[in-house]
Amino acid sequence: MATLNATFNETVHLGVLMDSEVVHIAVIPSTHALKMASEVGERALVHVSSLGKCLIAWEGPQALDLLLAGPGLPPVSYRSITTRAAFEAELAKVRIQGFALDDQESLEGLRCVGAPIRAAGGAVVGAISMSGPADRVSEARLPEITEAVRRAAAQISQLCGFKR
């Protein structure tokens, strides 16, 4: 987390899934004046969070059923995913590419890249993300940022006993 933050000077989160919501369990904030501001213990909706997408993508249809029965898929920004079919397609994409993107879905002007953290047996037990203004976490920089976030998630997964 510290390496990601030092390299890009954007806010880095570590999150887990609790009661169909993402809970931030660690945060390293950016030092920029304009930044993603969040705190440990803060909760976020799964469907508009790169962390949440990573946390639920490998959980199976029952997790999605629980999500829809609980908080659902309310619109948070004009780009929020609000239908089951669209969210299922997004989760399939996350599983294929191995990372998730919140492209201004939680807040206009904010882009987040997340990747899953796996335990020894391969189960997703957490996720890491980096968040910042869309002009700094730009589409042009997404390949570089995505690779760095995926690498950080892989390093944390190794510390959790995961072997590729």
Side-chain angles (χ1 to χ4, degrees), residues 8-117:
F8 296 97
N9 192 18
E10 298 297 351
T11 301
V12 179
H13 297 95
L14 181 64
V16 296
L17 192 62
M18 294 177 100
D19 303 323
S20 296
E21 290 182 307
V22 177
V23 177
H24 297 147
I25 60 170
V27 178
I28 302 177
S30 168
T31 59
H32 290 292
L34 180 61
K35 62 186 169 203
M36 166 81 173
S38 56
E39 297 181 12
V40 170
E42 187 172 312
R43 291 177 175 256
L45 294 170
V46 168
H47 72 295
V48 295
S49 161
S50 65
L51 291 172
K53 292 175 188 179
C54 288
L55 292 166
I56 201 170
W58 287 271
E59 289 294 309
Q62 301 86 355
L64 186 52
D65 291 342
L66 284 172
L67 178 67
L68 293 171
L73 305 172
V76 180
S77 84
Y78 74 101
R79 296 183 72 148
S80 298
I81 295 170
T82 59
T83 68
R84 183 182 186 121
F87 195 52
E88 285 176 335
E90 179 74 3
L91 295 179
K93 184 177 170 184
V94 170
R95 287 188 294 273
I96 290 167
Q97 61 192 16
F99 69 91
L101 185 64
D102 161 7
D103 190 5
Q104 304 181 69
E105 296 161 51
S106 60
L107 181 67
E108 188 174 347
L110 179 70
R111 189 172 284 134
C112 310
V113 177
I117 295 170

